[in-house]
């Protein structure tokens, strides 16, 4: 079972580390750990939603440009909107 | 003449591991996987690089905002309320989509492994429990 691995990963979330990098003084309350397990790893809910939105916007931009593939300019345009 | 080799400095903290500190960041493979899942169409390699840049910026902004919110409330700890406020300002949480609905929407899905469907070998159908 993967339970021990999850336990080990749980308190060391990347979000904590990233916030610590940017704001060493700032702490994250335990209940602020809104983590979703994706592809065996943990992602913060807000980041998941951010990527969801960015992807959907970029997809819309690609459609508008009649492109069959999402290109950098579509991401940049999407990032400006969201 | 050659200087005698200096002994390597002993690590100060006894508990610290010898590992090189790596920049904390979300694994690019994870970002790619999530983005590809939601994009539902091919994404160029250069576009993924921009997504990673955007992600870095996102976390920097997130840290700034969370600090501002918690400081405003006279705290040094980011509480759930700060995150909710942040997600409200991002337009992710609205009156029509409250935080708990969002959580319910994303978390049960996670448990059912619907978010990233697992590739199954052949055309075997795994019966749902």
């Amino acid at each position: 079972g993967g339970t021990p691995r999850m336990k080990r990963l749980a308190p060391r979330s990347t979000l904590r580390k990233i916030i610590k990098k940017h704001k060493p003084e700032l702490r994250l309350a335990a209940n602020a750990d809104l983590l979703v397990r994706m592809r065996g790893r943990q992602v913060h809910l807000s980041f998941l939603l951010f990527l969801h939105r960015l992807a959907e916007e970029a997809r819309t931009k690609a459609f508008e440009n009649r492109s069959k593939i999402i290109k950098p300019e579509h991401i940049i345009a999407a990032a400006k909107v969201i | 003449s050659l200087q005698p080799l200096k002994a390597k400095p002993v690590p100060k903290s006894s508990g610290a591991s010898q590992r090189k500190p790596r920049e904390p960041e979300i694994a690019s493979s994870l970002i790619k996987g999530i983005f590809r899942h939601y994009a539902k169409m091919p994404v160029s390699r250069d576009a993924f690089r921009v997504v990673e840049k955007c992600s870095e910026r996102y976390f920097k902004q997130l840290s700034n905002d969370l600090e501002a919110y918690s400081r405003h409330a006279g705290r040094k700890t980011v509480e759930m309320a700060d995150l909710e406020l942040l997600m409200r300002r991002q337009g992710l949480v609205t009156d029509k989509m409250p935080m708990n609905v969002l959580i319910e929407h994303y978390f049960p899905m996670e448990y059912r492994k619907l978010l990233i469907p697992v590739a199954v070998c052949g055309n075997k159908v795994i019966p749902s429990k």
Side-chain angles (χ1 to χ4, degrees):
Chain A
T3 340
R5 202 175 122 80
M6 261 184 79
K7 262 188 192 161
R8 192 164 52 81
L9 283 173
R12 315 180 60 192
S13 85
T14 311
L15 184 73
R16 267 176 212 285
K17 284 188 253 171
I18 291 172
I19 287 182
K20 204 173 184 66
K21 179 178 87 173
H22 292 298
K23 306 283 168 193
E25 300 285 295
L26 205 60
R27 285 162 188 282
L28 195 63
N31 64 357
D33 264 349
L34 278 181
L35 298 173
V36 184
R37 254 169 79 85
M38 292 283 284
R39 296 161 67 84
R41 282 176 280 190
Q42 293 175 335
V43 208
H44 201 267
L45 179 65
S46 65
F47 181 56
L48 184 73
L49 293 171
F50 163 75
L51 282 182
H52 190 163
R53 221 187 208 186
L54 188 69
E56 286 195 337
E57 269 313 318
R59 182 180 157 81
T60 306
K61 298 289 174 200
F63 272 125
E64 280 171 12
N65 294 352
R66 296 173 195 283
S67 173
K68 287 192 158 88
I69 179 167
I70 293 177
K71 293 173 186 166
E73 55 262 39
H74 303 141
I75 310 280
I76 293 164
K80 278 178 190 158
V81 178
I82 66 164
Chain B
S1 67
L2 285 166
Q3 292 271 317
L5 280 170
K6 276 182 195 161
K8 271 189 181 173
V10 179
K12 272 173 262 171
S13 163
S14 55
S17 67
Q18 300 274 16
R19 263 181 304 161
K20 241 186 181 179
R22 270 202 296 152
E23 276 286 281
E25 56 192 5
I26 305 285
S28 63
S29 60
L30 185 59
I31 295 176
K32 262 189 189 179
I34 297 169
F35 191 85
R36 188 181 281 133
H37 172 77
Y38 288 128
K40 296 181 199 119
M41 67 188 286
V43 184
S44 81
R45 195 181 290 222
D46 291 340
F48 274 130
R49 231 166 273 148
V50 181
V51 173
E52 279 184 48
K53 276 266 156 60
C54 289
S55 302
E56 273 170 42
R57 271 223 307 263
Y58 172 82
F59 281 116
K60 195 174 179 190
Q61 186 63 47
L62 179 100
S63 306
N64 280 335
D65 289 348
L66 290 178
E67 185 196 38
Y69 296 160
S70 51
R71 184 181 284 170
H72 184 77
R75 285 185 266 102
K76 279 190 172 181
T77 305
V78 175
E79 299 282 357
M80 190 71 156
D82 303 318
L83 265 168
E84 188 168 343
L85 181 60
L86 177 105
M87 287 168 78
R88 195 171 271 277
R89 280 201 48 195
Q90 289 172 339
L92 299 169
V93 172
T94 60
D95 291 335
K96 280 186 182 171
M97 181 60 88
M99 190 72 158
N100 50 355
V101 176
L102 252 187
I103 293 169
E104 273 170 29
H105 179 73
Y106 277 89
F107 284 76
M109 271 175 99
E110 178 239 332
Y111 297 130
R112 280 181 268 147
K113 296 187 176 176
L114 282 175
L115 231 39
I116 297 288
V118 184
V120 181
C121 272
N123 48 7
K124 251 190 283 177
V125 175
I126 294 180
S128 55
K129 284 163 213 168

